RNA sequence: GGGCGGUUAGCUCAGUUGGUAGAGCACCGGCUUUACACGCCGGCUGUCACAGGUUCGAGUCCUGUACCGCCCACCA
């Protein structure tokens, strides 16, 4: 018997072990026992901390969540068994637009930041037709109320799935702590000059009426059309330009072509005149102009796309903006400064037809005008092209000049790339995604949003005596006041009556981009600047688990914030999960209507069964949704119950492992333990489950069959004790290897014979099994299994019952193998019911079997 | 346009320094074998996408091509 396997705990095995009810039973026991509570007395070196992704509570959970959160849990459980104090908090993402929309509809309210807080506000029973305006603090209270319900549902599912989260460490991205930390970190950025405010062209969603960040863009294929239009040269003749956005002609400030393009070289430095509106615009040269696109000459408008912004900035062009925040064309007085025209009355008359229209409607009208004036060459040629959208938006983005907050990013790019290289990626190739993103950045991170629900910027501005806002006259609160809401709180030194009054103050109206808060998840979970003792024990964290689609947002922004605030990586490892694909290889998502509700799956296949399927998905690899694998997992769990029951049914006598096959079994398992430990440390959980499962299956099929008789005393007490010693030791280790994957069934079996919960038991080590590697034992076990297999095959071929005796077995094998026979002969005779065994020296292994009549 | 993955049995996927192709599922056949019929035993199944190259030897290394998926791009 190996040292340390204490069997003093009474053994108690149910008659009919079953999986049903294990989830409820064990989640309750784990909760009561505080099994997953973080032990905050432990130093950083014995802590394993996880920067858990906060799921969006206003959305619904789908099987993809179950999939990726299981991966994290497997690693968490492994580290806990390795003796680490696991810091595994759960966050809820209730910040941002999805929640804002949900709260509006659910309660029938609308946020109006100009209103004062009403402590006694109660929403109507039913939402009315007209939304009730409420203050921002009231709105946030309603959000907290609604999301609390969602969080309960999520928490129940997570517990049922078996996530070993410390539920005392939850946070929400809109709660006071998150607000405080977001504001605090912002003030620190501001103080260091790493956040700044600027009035500049910004990507803008005209429906949401807010700025959006580069990271929130997506391309969508849209039908469009090239319109060839002509610009008059003053000395006669025309210059032709292709555009997909003719409605922006009034916003045209220049024409651009490539400096080497001979067609346009003579025109550089001259002016041409825009059609319809008669505006003189210069022809400029710029290397970004592509001679092969359209006519090779492009219209620069303020602003049609991001390239326009680049040209506008680099060629130092004037602004002639026509699109307002709501997407409508703004009124323009033609002939006034900046709107000079060779024919101002005509321009005015034409433009008045466009004013107030959306871009799409203005385009139709403009095309009519161009056709009428003869400036449209030919007919529009329909094309399909990619257009930039806000990922949650319905209309193409516009570029609107507005005052926004930015976090400096561009100047830190090389530092961020270095951090990306320092981070250990699982899988490694995901690092490229971050590099691509950083190298493709074209501006600092715009973090302000013109929304109501979110973390407000903790800033007020002085109001001048003439009533105008002095944006340079910033007033910020002392850190001790945070969190604050500038729409209701008052800056130090001012009274509430001075709000929006000449000589008084006004609050910043914007809220932070949701990623501006999420990017601080390690600081929020670790309670930065609130509980420095805790923070020091968990930060930088060990791992950030997340999906690959948000590398450019969450992963990137978290590295940025950590670099700026702490000068360090926020975590050592990034474990990137793949997606769950439906059988048609499409990403599963709500919009495709192919989602499966996770709770139903857990109930049908058991949490261990679903986890088994999830564990088959390697880091970074998309995995097909497959209930077949869940069934296999469920079968494995049942098999574990039954095999354990068999092992534990007759544990006496047990003692030192002396028999060759027994030592071989333990040696083989010890090898698996070594490999598994190394694999789990590098996030290769998939292989660990595979290997352990394969071993377990041959343990059941071959080893158990082989030693069945001996353990009951066929060969005397000492061989029986050896078999039982090996059975118990290997069961003990196999259970612990399976524990991170199948937490319910393993703890159930553990409770039959071992003290405490398996989830705080030590991760197995090779030393638990044997003192030295016994290669001969391994060979003997393989040899015996080979003979047994040949006999089974014969019986199967002959369609005879397995209990049919073997009259004679002739084993052909190399001498080296035949030498092993004496080590296993008695086990073989007993399990194979073999009467006579002969051996023949041969090059290859073969068994000739003659069954008894 | 740039980049990253992938392409192995009907399906889902392993295949770790190059050495005669693997697992599970599915399918077929068999077996009451006192841990398990939610079981057990056995069987069938492959031009490893394609074309070159390196090598005694390539699923594995190199080059190129095709297709699938994803990420990114300054898409007039």
């Amino acid at each position: 018997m190996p040292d340390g396997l204490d069997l003093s705990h009474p053994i108690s095995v149910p008659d009919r072990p079953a999986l049903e009810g294990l989830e409820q039973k064990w989640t309750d026991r784990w909760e009561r026992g505080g099994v997953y509570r973080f032990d905050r007395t432990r130093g950083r070196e014995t802590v394993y901390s996880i920067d858990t992704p906060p799921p969006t509570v206003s959305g619904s959970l789908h099987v993809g969540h179950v999939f990726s959160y299981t991966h994290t849990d497997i690693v968490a459980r492994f580290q806990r068994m390795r003796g680490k104090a696991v810091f595994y908090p759960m966050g809820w993402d209730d910040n941002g637009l999805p929640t804002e929309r949900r709260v509006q509809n659910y309660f029938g309210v609308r946020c109006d930041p100009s209103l004062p807080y009403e402590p006694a506000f109660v929403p109507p029973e039913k939402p009315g037709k007209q939304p009730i305006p409420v203050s921002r603090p009231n709105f946030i209270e309603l959000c907290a109320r609604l999301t609390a319900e969602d969080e309960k549902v999520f928490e129940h599912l997570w517990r049922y799935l078996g996530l070993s989260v410390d539920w005392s460490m939850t946070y929400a991205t809109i709660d006071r702590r998150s607000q405080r930390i977001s504001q605090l970190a912002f003030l620190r950025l501001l103080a260091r000059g790493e956040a700044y405010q600027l009035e500049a062209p910004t990507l803008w969603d005209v429906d949401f009426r807010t700025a959006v960040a580069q990271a929130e863009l997506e391309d969508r294929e849209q039908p469009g059309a090239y319109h060839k239009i002509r610009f008059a040269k003053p000395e006669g003749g025309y210059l032709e330009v292709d555009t997909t956005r003719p409605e922006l002609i009034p916003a045209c400030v220049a024409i651009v072509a490539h400096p080497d393009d001979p067609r346009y070289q003579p025109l550089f430095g001259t002016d041409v005149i825009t059609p319809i509106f008669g505006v003189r615009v210069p022809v400029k040269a710029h290397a970004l102009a592509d001679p092969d696109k359209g006519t090779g000459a492009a219209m620069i408008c303020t602003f049609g796309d991001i390239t326009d912004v680049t040209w506008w900035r680099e060629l130092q062009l004037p602004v002639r903006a026509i699109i307002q925040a709501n997407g409508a064309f703004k009124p323009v007085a033609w002939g006034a400064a900046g709107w000079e025209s060779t024919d101002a009355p005509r321009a005015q008359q034409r433009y008045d037809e466009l004013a107030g229209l959306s871009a799409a409607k203005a385009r139709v009208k403009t095309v009519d005008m161009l056709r009428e004036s003869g400036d449209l060459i030919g007919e529009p040629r329909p094309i399909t092209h990619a257009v930039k959208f806000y990922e949650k938006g319905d209309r193409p983005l516009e570029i609107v000049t507005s005052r926004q907050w930015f976090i400096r990013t561009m100047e830190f790019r090389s530092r961020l790339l270095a951090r990306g290289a320092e981070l250990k990626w699982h899988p490694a190739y995901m690092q490229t995604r971050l590099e691509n993103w950083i190298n493709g950045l074209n501006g600092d991170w715009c973090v302000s949003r013109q929304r109501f629900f979110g973390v407000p910027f903790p800033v007020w501005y002085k109001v001048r005596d003439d009533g105008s806002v002095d944006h340079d006259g910033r007033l910020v609160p002392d850190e001790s006041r945070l969190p604050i809401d500038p729409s209701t709180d008052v800056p130090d030194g001012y009274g509430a009556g001075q709000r929006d009054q000449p000589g008084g103050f006004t609050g910043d109206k914007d809220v932070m981009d949701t990623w501006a808060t999420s990017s601080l998840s390690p600081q929020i979970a670790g309670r930065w600047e609130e509980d420095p003792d805790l923070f020091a024990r968990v930060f930088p964290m060990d791992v950030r688990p997340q999906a690959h689609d948000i590398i450019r947002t969450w992963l990137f922004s978290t590295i940025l914030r950590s670099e700026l605030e702490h000068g360090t990586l926020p975590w050592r490892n990034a474990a990137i999960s793949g997606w769950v694909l439906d059988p048609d290889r499409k990403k599963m998502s709500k919009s495709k209507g192919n989602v499966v509700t996770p709770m139903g799956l857990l109930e049908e296949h058991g949490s261990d069964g679903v986890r088994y399927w999830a564990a088959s998905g390697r880091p970074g690899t998309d995995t097909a949704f497959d209930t077949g694998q869940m069934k296999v997992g469920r079968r494995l769990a049942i098999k574990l119950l039954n095999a354990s029951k068999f092992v534990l049914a007759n544990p006496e006598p047990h003692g030192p492992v002396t028999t060759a096959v027994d030592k071989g079994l333990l040696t083989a398992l010890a090898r698996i333990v070594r490999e598994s430990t190394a694999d789990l440390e590098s996030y290769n959980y998939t292989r660990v489950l595979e290997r352990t499962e394969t071993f377990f299956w041959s343990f059941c099929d071959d080893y158990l069959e082989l030693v069945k008789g001996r353990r009951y005393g066929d060969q005397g007490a000492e061989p029986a004790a050896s078999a039982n010693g090996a059975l118990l030791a290997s069961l003990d280790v196999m259970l612990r290897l399976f524990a991170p994957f199948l937490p319910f069934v393993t703890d159930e079996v553990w409770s039959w014979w071992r003290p405490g919960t398996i989830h705080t038991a030590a991760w197995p080590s090779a030393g638990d099994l044997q003192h030295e590697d016994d290669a001969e034992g391994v060979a003997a076990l393989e040899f015996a299994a080979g003979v047994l297999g040949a006999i089974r095959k014969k019986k199967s071929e002959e369609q005879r019952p397995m209990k049919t005796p073997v009259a004679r077995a002739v084993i052909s094998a190399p001498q080296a193998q035949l030498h092993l026979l004496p080590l296993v002969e008695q086990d073989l005779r007993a399990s194979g019911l073999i009467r006579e065994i002969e051996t023949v020296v041969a090059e290859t292994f073969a068994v000739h079997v003659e069954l008894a009549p």
Side-chain angles (χ1 to χ4, degrees), chain A residues 410-442:
Chain A
M410 297 301 278
E411 64 195 79
F412 301 120
R413 284 198 286 179
S414 59
R415 273 161 67 185
L416 297 173
L417 285 167
R419 291 297 180 202
E422 184 186 339
L423 184 63
K424 280 189 216 143
W425 296 77
H426 311 279
Y429 61 76
M430 287 293 178
Q431 189 195 333
T432 315
R433 301 247 183 141
L434 180 68
E435 291 180 348
N436 282 348
W437 175 250
I438 293 175
N439 288 326
L441 284 172
N442 55 32

Side-chain angles (χ1 to χ4, degrees), chain A residues 31 149 204 283 308 352 468 525 561 603 669 728 799 809 817:
Chain A
E31 177 59 32
E149 294 301 311
W204 188 270
V283 180
D308 280 342
D352 285 348
S468 65
R561 302 302 294 272
E603 283 165 351
L669 184 52
L728 293 165
Q799 305 195 354
Q817 249 183 322

Side-chain angles (χ1 to χ4, degrees), chain A residues 689-715:
Chain A
L689 177 58
E690 260 173 30
R691 258 199 302 260
T692 308
E693 186 188 7
T694 303
F695 178 87
F696 173 66
W697 229 259
S698 79
F699 169 86
C700 291
D701 295 347
D702 298 330
Y703 182 76
L704 278 184
E705 295 302 323
L706 205 55
V707 304
K708 233 176 208 176
R710 177 154 57 88
R711 73 172 306 207
Y712 288 118
D714 282 4
Q715 299 171 40

Side-chain angles (χ1 to χ4, degrees), chain A residues 301-321:
Chain A
C301 305
T302 53
F303 296 94
D305 60 30
I306 303 171
T307 324
D308 280 342
V309 178
T310 306
W311 280 327
W312 167 78
R313 194 192 307 118
E314 295 186 8
L315 298 173
Q316 301 188 323
L317 297 165
V319 177
R320 208 168 280 139

Side-chain angles (χ1 to χ4, degrees), chain A residues 490 494-505:
Chain A
V490 175
Y494 288 82
Q498 290 175 276
R499 182 181 295 278
D500 297 326
Q501 298 301 313
F505 69 92

